[in-house]
């Protein structure tokens, strides 16, 4: 794992950061997202000009990490955490959380790299952090939805969220999306070392660990859009593994075997 890069240079820099404003870190886990990364970071900074962006790349063969490195050479807001191989979304998200805690950020905003999480919703999600510890960019509250999703994917997503609400006893409508903001001080109280999931079930489990630790959770409506470039990483084997993990943890919780 390489050290995060991104040093001051002659290029664009964010406005000075007022002492009273929270320090925000946006984390993006990437694997073969060369076609999306630069425009996505530019759009993030359009809405959050003072935020730092940490790209967590699993040694993408298409050179995504090189694009992040080049951006960071001229813009100190862009950081790169390059990992030696494909290690999975869950471990990448955990790496981002650990980075935010180690570097003194106040808020951690996580999002996908493929524009399925439009940056235009960032101000609304962050506004909800005034009274919550976790804010979810939610497809399933009033005003939210999905765009150009095939029917089987919509059915599976709804079914998984219904199962999670029942077994995990969490009062949230969208427990599976990765478009989330976390209060970093709250993350310090969560036993992240107990998170078992490493694939797509990570999103539900880490939210459950936050909820069990007393986090206040809110939801902000978003329209989830299909990726603009590149190929989806979803595959049947990982989907089955993730659902099995959710059933295992959910049933443990249902029968009172999951502690804080």
């Amino acid at each position: 794992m390489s050290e995060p890069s991104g040093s001051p240079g002659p290029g664009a820099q964010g406005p000075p950061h007022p002492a009273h404003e929270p320090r925000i870190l946006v984390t993006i886990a990437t694997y073969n997202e060369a076609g999306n990364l630069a425009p996505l970071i530019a759009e993030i900074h359009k809405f959050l000009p003072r935020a730092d962006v940490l790209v967590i790349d699993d040694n993408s063969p298409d050179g995504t990490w090189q694009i992040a490195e080049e951006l960071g050479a001229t813009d100190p807001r862009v950081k790169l955490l390059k990992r030696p191989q494909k290690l999975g979304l869950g471990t990448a998200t955990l790496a981002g959380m650990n980075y935010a805690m180690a570097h003194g950020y106040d808020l951690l905003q996580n999002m996908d790299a493929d524009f399925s999480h439009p940056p235009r919703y960032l101000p609304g999600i962050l506004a909800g952090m005034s009274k919550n510890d976790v804010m979810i960019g939610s497809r399933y509250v009033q005003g939210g939805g999905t765009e150009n999703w095939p029917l089987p994917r919509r059915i599976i997503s709804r079914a998984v969220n219904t199962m999670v609400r029942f077994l995990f006893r969490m009062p949230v409508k969208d427990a599976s999306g990765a478009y989330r903001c976390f209060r970093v001080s709250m993350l310090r109280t969560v036993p992240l070392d107990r998170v078992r999931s490493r694939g797509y079930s990570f999103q539900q489990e880490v939210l459950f660990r936050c909820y069990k630790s007393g986090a206040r959770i809110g939801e902000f409506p978003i329209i989830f859009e299909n990726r603009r470039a590149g190929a989806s990483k979803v595959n049947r084997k990982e989907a089955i593994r993730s659902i099995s993990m959710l059933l295992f943890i959910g049933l443990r919780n249902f029968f009172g075997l999951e502690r804080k």
Side-chain angles (χ1 to χ4, degrees), residues 108-212:
L108 167 65
Q109 173 68 57
N110 187 73
M111 59 195 303
D112 288 348
D114 59 5
F115 276 99
S116 58
H117 297 156
R120 66 180 179 273
Y121 296 116
L122 287 169
I125 293 172
L126 288 165
M129 294 302 291
S130 63
K131 56 183 178 181
N132 291 290
D133 301 304
V134 182
M135 276 295 294
I136 301 168
S138 178
R139 299 161 289 184
Y140 301 131
V141 294
Q142 185 174 3
T146 59
E147 187 176 86
N148 299 321
W149 254 23
L151 180 60
R153 191 171 179 184
R154 295 202 304 270
I155 292 172
I156 291 170
S157 178
R158 288 281 192 176
V160 168
N161 275 286
T162 299
M163 178 187 74
V164 167
R165 280 198 302 274
F166 177 70
L167 293 178
F168 287 68
R169 297 292 196 251
M170 287 192 296
V172 298
K173 294 185 180 297
D174 192 346
S176 56
Y179 202 3
R180 296 177 183 166
C181 188
F182 299 89
R183 191 176 307 283
V184 176
S185 60
M186 178 275 302
L187 287 176
R188 298 182 192 279
T189 72
V190 179
L192 296 174
D193 59 319
R194 293 184 54 220
V195 176
R196 301 181 180 94
S197 302
R198 292 296 179 264
Y200 300 115
S201 58
F202 174 86
Q203 303 301 342
Q204 293 93 332
E205 184 181 356
V206 78
L207 187 65
F208 170 66
R209 300 296 175 195
C210 291
Y211 180 66
K212 292 285 279 188

Side-chain angles (χ1 to χ4, degrees), residues 32 50 96 118 121 154 210 221 234 237 244:
N32 287 347
R50 297 185 180 92
Y121 296 116
R154 295 202 304 270
C210 291
V234 177
K237 182 179 179 181
S244 299

